[in-house]
Amino acid sequence: MIVQHSQGSYEISFHSYSIANGITVTDENVAGLYPSQVPSDSIIIPAGESSKNLSTYSFICQELLKRGATRKSQLVALGGGVIGDLVGFVAATYMRGIPFVQVPTTLLAQVDSSVGGKVGIDLPEGKNLVGSFYAPQQVIVDTSFLNTLPERQLQCGLAEVIKYGWIVDPDLLKATNRHDWERFETVSRCIQLKAQVVVEDEFETKGIRVWLNFGHTIGHAIEQLTEYKVHTHGEAISIGMVIETRIAELLGFAEVGLTDQVADSLRFHGLPTKIDPDLSVDSLIRVMRLDKKSDSGELAMSLVQKAGVCQLVKNVPQQVVREALL
Ligand SMILES: NC(=O)c1ccc[n+]([C@@H]2O[C@H](COP(=O)([O-])OP(=O)(O)OC[C@H]3O[C@@H](n4cnc5c(N)ncnc54)[C@H](O)[C@@H]3O)[C@@H](O)[C@H]2O)c1
Ligand SMILES: [Zn+2]
């Protein structure tokens, strides 16, 4: 599969991964699980979101200098979305940009973060506050990496898969509504969908890429208010998709009963569908008003009208959001 973008194109290939050319950067978990795919001169960083920061960014750049990396060197980002975003950002900026290859090893990274060219790091003030659009040379997808993924991480990726189903592809909902869902078919379908969306709207300016944000306005607010400690990203957006569909129903935008259908599709895979009642509605709304889609404090959300149809809805009244949150 080829993804065209403003600077050129890259290929997404599906095959078993050995070792790609270049300097591999990975995390400790992946290095421990896949020693034969991690060459001895690899750069290995601690696992988890807390590594997606400025100090690990500098550490990697300095390690590259020590290894004599030049403008012609290539990086291999072997890992989940944290490695992909961080190593992609190093690649975008080291010596003003060097090539990199994405080798996503989590379901979330395979179906979402490795495609589309968004790279970046977090600041203490918030997630993904520094970054760029920077396309890889190639994405290599090997679904056998998923065999070692803990159940909770698999669920996290499934939330994004189910999201694709609701926003653009109802067939995907049917295909994943079973416990023995086909991994290869599912991952390749999601990548195809993500690739179509980012090709049509590379810089999120045409109101299409924003569909991928379904569940994320509420989901991000939940993650932020619980300081990223209570829920995985997938769990937070699972709750977000249910509440945002309730908003769509209350607005008369979605057919009645859609919220229950969305909740059922997520609950089937053990994903949460209810918000913690201790979370303050005022705080949630305050955080949502800072969301990138909001315009001068007016709430905006990508809402599903019916399975496979999504739209950015602007000026969502606060009162409706409050009602849906209660
Ligand atoms: N760039 C984008 O478009 C985009 C989109 C969505 C999310 N993201 C970013 O992705 C990040 C989340 O990605 P993630 O969920 O993959 O997190 P992650 O990279 O932290 O991986 C989750 C955990 O799984 C472990 N792991 C990775 N591969 C494994 C394997 N094959 N077997 C066993 N364990 C494995 C990791 O060590 C880690 O502990 C966030 O920082 C988010 O902002 C980016
Ligand atoms: Zn997401």
Side-chain angles (χ1 to χ4, degrees), residues 11-120:
E11 189 180 6
I12 304 171
S13 43
F14 298 83
H15 56 79
S16 84
Y17 178 71
S18 50
I19 292 178
N21 259 340
I23 300 173
T24 299
V25 188
T26 191
D27 73 24
E28 285 166 352
N29 290 343
V30 177
L33 287 163
Y34 297 97
S36 63
Q37 276 115 320
V38 179
S40 55
D41 67 344
S42 299
I43 300 171
I44 300 172
I45 61 163
E49 187 71 31
S50 55
S51 281
K52 213 175 108 175
N53 61 13
L54 275 169
S55 70
T56 318
Y57 165 81
S58 321
F59 169 77
I60 298 172
C61 292
Q62 286 166 322
E63 287 296 313
L64 290 175
L65 286 171
K66 278 191 207 159
R67 284 163 175 72
T70 67
R71 294 182 73 176
K72 294 209 170 87
S73 303
Q74 171 160 278
L75 297 184
V76 180
L78 174 70
V82 165
I83 288 288
D85 282 13
L86 170 68
V87 178
F89 188 59
V90 170
T93 47
Y94 182 77
M95 299 200 172
R96 298 204 180 84
I98 59 173
F100 86 114
V101 176
Q102 288 267 24
V103 188
T105 62
T106 63
L107 181 58
L108 179 125
Q110 295 191 345
V111 301
D112 190 357
S113 60
S114 63
V115 178
K118 281 190 185 175
V119 297

Side-chain angles (χ1 to χ4, degrees), residues 277-305:
D278 293 342
L279 274 182
S280 133
V281 173
D282 285 332
S283 312
L284 283 162
I285 290 187
R286 178 177 47 78
V287 174
M288 273 183 253
R289 290 181 64 185
L290 299 173
D291 182 85
K292 285 199 279 291
K293 297 183 294 304
S294 297
D295 200 357
S296 30
E298 295 291 345
L299 298 173
M301 291 174 192
S302 296
L303 300 179
V304 167
Q305 191 170 17

Side-chain angles (χ1 to χ4, degrees), residues 2-304:
I2 304 281
V3 179
Q4 304 281 348
H5 58 89
S6 54
Q7 310 290 314
S9 66
Y10 56 92
E11 189 180 6
I12 304 171
S13 43
F14 298 83
H15 56 79
S16 84
Y17 178 71
S18 50
I19 292 178
N21 259 340
I23 300 173
T24 299
V25 188
T26 191
D27 73 24
E28 285 166 352
N29 290 343
V30 177
L33 287 163
Y34 297 97
S36 63
Q37 276 115 320
V38 179
S40 55
D41 67 344
S42 299
I43 300 171
I44 300 172
I45 61 163
E49 187 71 31
S50 55
S51 281
K52 213 175 108 175
N53 61 13
L54 275 169
S55 70
T56 318
Y57 165 81
S58 321
F59 169 77
I60 298 172
C61 292
Q62 286 166 322
E63 287 296 313
L64 290 175
L65 286 171
K66 278 191 207 159
R67 284 163 175 72
T70 67
R71 294 182 73 176
K72 294 209 170 87
S73 303
Q74 171 160 278
L75 297 184
V76 180
L78 174 70
V82 165
I83 288 288
D85 282 13
L86 170 68
V87 178
F89 188 59
V90 170
T93 47
Y94 182 77
M95 299 200 172
R96 298 204 180 84
I98 59 173
F100 86 114
V101 176
Q102 288 267 24
V103 188
T105 62
T106 63
L107 181 58
L108 179 125
Q110 295 191 345
V111 301
D112 190 357
S113 60
S114 63
V115 178
K118 281 190 185 175
V119 297
I121 54 174
D122 305 331
L123 292 182
E125 288 81 359
K127 262 181 67 115
N128 299 327
L129 286 178
V130 175
S132 175
F133 282 98
Y134 192 70
Q137 298 297 304
Q138 195 190 356
V139 182
I140 301 172
V141 181
D142 177 351
T143 50
S144 73
F145 280 119
L146 306 182
N147 296 339
T148 54
L149 204 60
E151 183 61 27
R152 200 171 174 206
Q153 294 297 339
L154 208 56
Q155 279 180 336
C156 180
L158 267 168
E160 301 281 2
V161 171
I162 294 168
K163 177 194 77 178
Y164 286 114
W166 285 110
I167 62 175
V168 282
D169 186 7
D171 286 347
L172 198 53
L173 294 172
K174 278 192 218 115
T176 48
N177 201 30
R178 45 192 289 176
H179 291 297
D180 60 344
W181 54 279
E182 236 312 316
R183 288 187 180 174
F184 181 81
E185 299 296 323
T186 304
V187 168
S188 50
R189 180 68 188 141
C190 290
I191 290 181
Q192 201 181 13
L193 294 168
K194 171 112 191 214
Q196 272 169 11
V197 166
V198 301
V199 165
E200 276 185 61
D201 187 5
E202 186 177 352
F203 301 112
E204 209 166 306
T205 50
K206 296 182 185 158
I208 299 171
R209 192 166 180 162
V210 74
W211 297 342
L212 300 171
N213 252 279
F214 171 48
H216 284 60
T217 312
I218 306 256
H220 282 154
I222 294 173
E223 284 184 287
Q224 207 174 318
L225 287 178
T226 53
E227 294 172 352
Y228 301 91
K229 289 183 186 134
V230 180
H231 297 293
T232 62
H233 174 69
E235 290 164 359
I237 66 153
S238 173
I239 300 167
M241 285 188 270
V242 175
I243 297 173
E244 290 182 15
T245 309
R246 193 171 299 133
I247 292 170
E249 268 194 55
L250 289 170
L251 288 173
F253 177 75
E255 57 197 54
V256 174
L258 192 67
T259 309
D260 291 339
Q261 293 176 42
V262 170
D264 286 347
S265 66
L266 295 158
R267 217 180 286 118
F268 181 81
H269 288 290
L271 284 157
T273 55
K274 290 197 166 67
I275 195 161
D276 177 352
D278 293 342
L279 274 182
S280 133
V281 173
D282 285 332
S283 312
L284 283 162
I285 290 187
R286 178 177 47 78
V287 174
M288 273 183 253
R289 290 181 64 185
L290 299 173
D291 182 85
K292 285 199 279 291
K293 297 183 294 304
S294 297
D295 200 357
S296 30
E298 295 291 345
L299 298 173
M301 291 174 192
S302 296
L303 300 179
V304 167

